[in-house]
Amino acid sequence: MANKGKKRRACFSGIGGQAVLEGIMMKNKDKYAVAVRKPNGEIEVDIDEFQGIAKGSIFKQLPFFRGVFNFIDSLTLGMKSINYSASFYEEEADKETRVDKALNKIFKDKAERVLTGFVTFISVCLAIAMFILLPYYLTAYFTKDFRNETYVALIEGLIRVAVFILYVVGISFNKDIKRVYKYHGAEHKCINCIEHGHELTVENVLRSSRLHKRCGTSFMLLVVLISIILFFFIRVESPIERVVIRLLLIPVIAGIAYEFIRLAGRSNNVFVKIISASGMLLQKITTKEPDSQMVEVAIAAVEAVFDWKDFLTEKFPGKVSDDIKTDEDSENNTEANVTGDSEETEV
């Protein structure tokens, strides 16, 4: 048994997930599970496989290119999981709407996939409009008399960060989002519990940290920060060309952000810690402390796709214990030296 209070280095598990409505999705390689606490209090677990786009393509293995594919896959699977969890809480969910009838008539058994793809596409467009285009046009409006391009670029960067943070903070006041943030915390706590060599029990999970380097929140913040750097150095005179370049650089930005998140999950050097610090700080907003029932849902999702007992036996032979530092101490010491060569999944 480990000494009490001794910090244990983490081992990469390869699992990741996402909070959904009253539940959690966990993914391990091609297998994923969505666990939902139904209105009657029972936990429903749906297990399936998701291979994503361009399965087997060499581009999906290449650095920077793989980030774009993984980003699209994460959005698609995330939307599918949210739709599944929402189906338990929709009023008159058993009644087919006009939209459902039209989609089923046109696309038949592919109707759900088409709808998920369409909603994902709209979500991406809205995100681009809010975090890429809106800051650009706000900057153009407020700096139309400026002649110094460096100042203009810096102002656009500040506005972009402000819009992103205001959005994250703003939606956190919504009651439903608050519960999603709690499930987000439960998801992180489960993964941290396992990756630090502790048995997956409700008590151990509750005492684990709710912050994790491989988080989608950190990824999105990195996208914003990287876009500021690229837009600062790439300048053109034409306003139309500026907008086009910003749109064309989105896949590049996503690819760079993914590679850093991947590196952050496997490295413990000072540079990674510094860059990760802002994302970890933001996670204090996008994750909240879950209750024991939420943790039970998270554990059900993990156990459906991942054998944590075998993982602990392999990675922490003779060192598994229930001895976990307090959550406050864990969050102040979230860095980890991660090992392993499994497929990377965002947390």
Side-chain angles (χ1 to χ4, degrees):
M1 179 174 293
N3 294 329
K4 187 172 182 178
K6 183 179 180 180
K7 190 178 186 302
R8 180 177 298 162
R9 288 188 173 186
C11 285
F12 176 63
S13 65
I15 59 174
Q18 173 184 316
V20 296
L21 182 63
E22 293 300 326
I24 287 176
M25 181 274 291
M26 284 288 186
K27 185 175 182 292
N28 180 29
K29 297 180 180 179
D30 290 339
K31 190 176 182 180
Y32 77 95
V34 184
V36 180
R37 178 78 69 177
K38 299 193 295 185
N40 62 8
E42 296 179 357
I43 299 176
E44 181 82 11
V45 182
D46 180 60
I47 306 172
D48 205 345
E49 289 191 358
F50 181 81
Q51 297 183 347
I53 63 172
K55 179 66 177 179
S57 170
I58 188 174
F59 290 102
K60 207 167 184 178
Q61 308 300 322
L62 295 176
F64 301 106
F65 287 95
R66 61 191 173 192
V68 179
F69 290 109
N70 278 280
F71 177 62
I72 295 173
D73 287 347
S74 296
L75 287 176
T76 304
L77 179 58
M79 192 61 64
K80 182 178 181 180
S81 301
I82 290 173
N83 290 339
Y84 172 78
S85 65
S87 67
F88 292 99
Y89 289 87
E90 291 175 349
E91 294 182 5
E92 300 181 339
D94 55 330
K95 292 185 179 180
E96 194 174 38
T97 64
R98 292 182 179 179
V99 174
D100 292 331
K101 290 179 180 179
L103 288 173
N104 289 329
K105 184 177 181 180
I106 298 173
F107 299 104
K108 298 182 171 39
D109 58 335
K110 295 182 179 180
E112 182 181 354
R113 185 182 303 176
V114 171
L115 180 60
T116 300
F118 177 74
V119 174
T120 302
F121 174 76
I122 295 299
S123 300
V124 172
C125 290
L126 290 175
I128 292 173
M130 180 177 293
F131 303 125
I132 301 295
L133 300 182
L134 177 61
Y136 168 74
Y137 283 112
L138 284 176
T139 303
Y141 177 78
F142 289 113
T143 63
K144 53 188 175 182
D145 296 326
F146 280 44
R147 295 291 179 266
N148 192 312
E149 290 296 325
T150 299
Y151 288 156
V152 172
L154 289 175
I155 291 172
E156 182 183 349
L158 291 174
I159 291 177
R160 182 167 288 108
V161 172
V163 168
F164 179 71
I165 294 178
L166 286 173
Y167 170 78
V168 171
V169 173
I171 64 173
S172 68
F173 290 103
N174 181 278
K175 184 175 68 173
D176 293 332
I177 296 297
K178 284 182 179 179
R179 289 192 63 81
V180 172
Y181 282 176
K182 288 183 178 182
Y183 276 105
H184 190 194
E187 172 215 339
H188 282 195
K189 281 174 171 284
C190 272
I191 297 174
N192 275 323
C193 180
I194 295 169
E195 293 186 340
H196 284 82
H198 304 293
E199 295 184 4
L200 196 62
T201 65
V202 172
E203 181 181 6
N204 282 351
V205 171
L206 284 171
R207 295 169 63 190
S208 298
S209 173
R210 72 177 197 265
L211 309 182
H212 201 288
K213 287 182 179 180
R214 290 185 293 110
C215 177
T217 302
S218 297
F219 173 82
M220 292 306 298
L221 181 59
L222 274 174
V223 167
V224 172
L225 296 178
I226 292 169
S227 70
I228 293 173
I229 297 173
L230 291 185
F231 297 162
F232 180 84
F233 289 104
I234 300 176
R235 305 178 187 179
V236 292
E237 293 297 326
S238 170
I240 296 178
E241 290 181 358
R242 290 176 185 172
V243 172
V244 171
I245 286 177
R246 279 157 173 72
L247 296 177
L248 292 177
L249 283 176
I250 290 174
V252 177
I253 295 168
I256 296 173
Y258 175 82
E259 293 304 320
F260 182 84
I261 287 292
R262 184 182 176 88
L263 174 64
R266 300 170 182 270
S267 176
N268 194 35
N269 64 56
V270 176
F271 173 74
V272 170
K273 289 181 185 178
I274 293 173
I275 301 300
S276 298
S278 57
M280 303 288 276
L281 183 62
L282 194 61
Q283 285 179 46
K284 288 183 176 290
I285 299 175
T286 62
T287 64
K288 301 296 181 185
E289 288 296 327
D291 57 37
S292 59
Q293 289 191 332
M294 293 175 175
V295 170
E296 289 173 356
V297 175
I299 290 176
V302 171
E303 293 184 330
V305 297
F306 186 75
D307 191 334
W308 59 267
K309 293 181 180 179
D310 281 354
F311 174 79
L312 295 186
T313 301
E314 177 187 353
K315 299 295 184 180
F316 302 92
K319 297 182 180 179
V320 176
S321 76
D322 295 332
D323 217 8
I324 301 180
K325 300 178 69 175
T326 64
D327 185 69
E328 182 179 357
D329 290 337
S330 291
E331 290 181 5
N332 290 332
N333 298 278
T334 48
E335 66 273 6
N337 181 26
V338 185
T339 60
D341 196 30
S342 303
E343 180 183 348
E344 188 88 16
T345 306
E346 281 186 18
V347 176

